[in-house]
């Protein structure tokens, strides 16, 4: 699992926020565009690309994009 | 009033949540039940919770057409069917791809309508019988993330109207119940995705609070009982006042 690919997949969910504004250390819930539908989109993207389920509460607990990445990485390792 | 004594009723989705409570309530009103669902273990739990004698369970995945055909073959003539099997999903439109459409519709629409079709073809629903479909209030709203779930339930609503018209000559009544948010295990999945805090706050939008499975079960009794013999083609909104605003 590559973090750069993850950041790219995540940034693709946004329509208004320029890609350059989303990086590994971005506090994504602080972004103006962030809303509950993007939360659902994040769950769906993680399921589609990584085959694991993350919950709304887990997304709520994550601060940065790296936190999300680590969560997904940990979950997919548990799946193997 | 509203006795179901002498009625033989098939209930799908009987292993948990609303379906399980419907079984318990119907048996309490004197109905003889045939219950079906995917999980044998949880289905037996429902069976054990039923008042009265002679109830039957037939574990089956209704999306498997061979199992469905076998189920219908083994059925006696019914006086009622409650279509309660369903899955919920929250997906933004951009992720609601063809595979997901097929997955959701297969359970929420196709399997229920095919079951209904086969029961009709085998003439296993008695004259004066009643069919009740469990829909959802989201079929008439525009809740973000419910494209597939809401559409599948809207398809069920449309089916209810057509079936009601087609089957009226045999005095078979067809109705749906469209509940708002009911506290069930299915909902725990939703809660998991939605975040607990937001879920709890959303209850404030319900003047009478979230519903309980018994609220839906009681409405089902009404539609199965002879007392509602003039009611057909209805989509009953059961939402604690949510849509009043």
């Amino acid at each position: 699992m590559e973090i750069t690919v993850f950041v790219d997949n995540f940034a693709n969910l946004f329509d208004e926020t320029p890609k350059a504004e989303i990086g590994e250390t971005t506090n994504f819930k602080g972004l103006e565009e962030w809303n509950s539908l993007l939360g659902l989109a994040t769950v769906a993207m993680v399921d589609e690309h990584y085959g694991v389920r993350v919950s709304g509460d887990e997304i709520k607990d994550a601060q940065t994009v790296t936190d999300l990445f680590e969560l997904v990485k940990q979950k997919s390792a548990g799946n193997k | 009033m509203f006795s179901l004594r002498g009625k033989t009723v098939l209930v799908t989705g009987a292993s948990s949540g609303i379906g399980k409570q419907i079984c318990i309530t119907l048996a309490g009103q004197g109905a003889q039940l045939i219950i079906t669902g995917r999980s044998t273990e949880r289905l037996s739990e429902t069976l054990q919770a039923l008042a009265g004698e002679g109830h039957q369970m037939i574990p089956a995945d209704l999306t498997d057409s061979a199992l469905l055909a076998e189920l219908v073959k083994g059925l006696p003539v019914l006086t009622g069917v409650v279509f309660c099997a369903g899955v919920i999903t929250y997906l933004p439109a951009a992720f609601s791809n063809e595979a997901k459409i097929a997955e959701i519709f297969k359970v929420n629409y196709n399997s229920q309508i095919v079951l209904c079709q086969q029961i009709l073809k085998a003439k296993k629903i008695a004259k004066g019988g009643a069919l009740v479909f469990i829909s959802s209030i989201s079929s008439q709203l525009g809740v973000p993330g419910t494209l597939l779930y809401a559409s599948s339930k809207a398809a069920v609503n449309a089916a209810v109207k057509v079936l009601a018209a087609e089957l009226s000559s045999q005095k078979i009544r067809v109705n749906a119940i469209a509940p708002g948010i009911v506290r069930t295990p299915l909902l725990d999945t939703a809660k998991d995705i939605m975040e607990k805090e937001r879920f709890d706050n959303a209850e404030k939008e319900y003047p009478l609070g979230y519903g309980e499975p018994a609220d839906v079960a009681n409405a089902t009794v009404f539609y199965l009982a002879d007392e509602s013999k003039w009611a057909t083609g209805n989509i009953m909104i059961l939402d604690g006042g949510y849509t009043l605003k």
Side-chain angles (χ1 to χ4, degrees), chain B residues 3-10 30-34 75-82 119 123-132 171-173 223-226:
Chain B
S3 166
L4 299 180
R5 218 156 281 284
K7 306 255 183 225
T8 306
V9 182
L10 170 70
Q32 192 92 78
L33 299 185
I34 298 149
L75 289 175
V77 173
L78 305 163
T79 38
V81 185
V82 183
I119 287 173
K123 302 197 184 302
K124 292 215 166 159
I125 179 90
K127 280 194 178 193
L131 309 180
V132 183
K171 305 277 188 235
I172 295 170
R173 300 177 297 106
Y223 279 131
L224 290 175
D226 294 334

Side-chain angles (χ1 to χ4, degrees), chain A residues 13 36-37 40-41 44-45 47-48 53 55-57 60, chain B residues 90-92 95 97 100 144-145 192-193 195-198:
Chain A
L13 300 175
S36 60
L37 195 60
L40 289 180
M45 179 277 283
D47 180 33
E48 195 172 291
R53 285 207 77 97
S55 72
D57 273 338
K60 204 171 146 236
Chain B
Y90 287 91
L91 274 180
F95 287 88
N97 60 29
K100 295 285 181 191
D192 204 33
I193 294 169
E195 299 163 31
K196 202 178 164 304
E197 195 183 308
R198 217 155 57 79

Side-chain angles (χ1 to χ4, degrees), chain A residues 1-2 9-10 13-14 17-19 30 33-34 38-39 46-47 52 55 61 64 71:
Chain A
M1 248 181 92
E2 288 282 337
N9 286 336
F10 182 71
L13 300 175
F14 291 77
T17 317
K19 265 193 162 183
E33 196 188 340
W34 180 258
L38 275 166
V46 167
D47 180 33
V52 294
S55 72
D61 290 342
T64 64
L71 173 73

Side-chain angles (χ1 to χ4, degrees), chain B residues 232-244:
Chain B
T232 195
N234 288 349
I235 315 290
M236 180 199 269
I237 305 296
L238 193 62
D239 67 352
Y242 179 75
T243 47
L244 290 173

Side-chain angles (χ1 to χ4, degrees), chain B residues 135-141 177-182 202-212 215-216 219 235-245:
Chain B
S135 180
S136 163
I137 187 69
S138 64
S139 64
Q140 300 182 4
L141 302 175
I177 299 166
I181 295 182
V182 174
E203 184 162 12
K204 295 190 188 105
E205 301 296 319
Y206 281 71
L208 301 181
Y210 287 157
E212 291 169 10
D215 296 321
V216 182
I235 315 290
M236 180 199 269
I237 305 296
L238 193 62
D239 67 352
Y242 179 75
T243 47
L244 290 173
K245 293 179 190 174

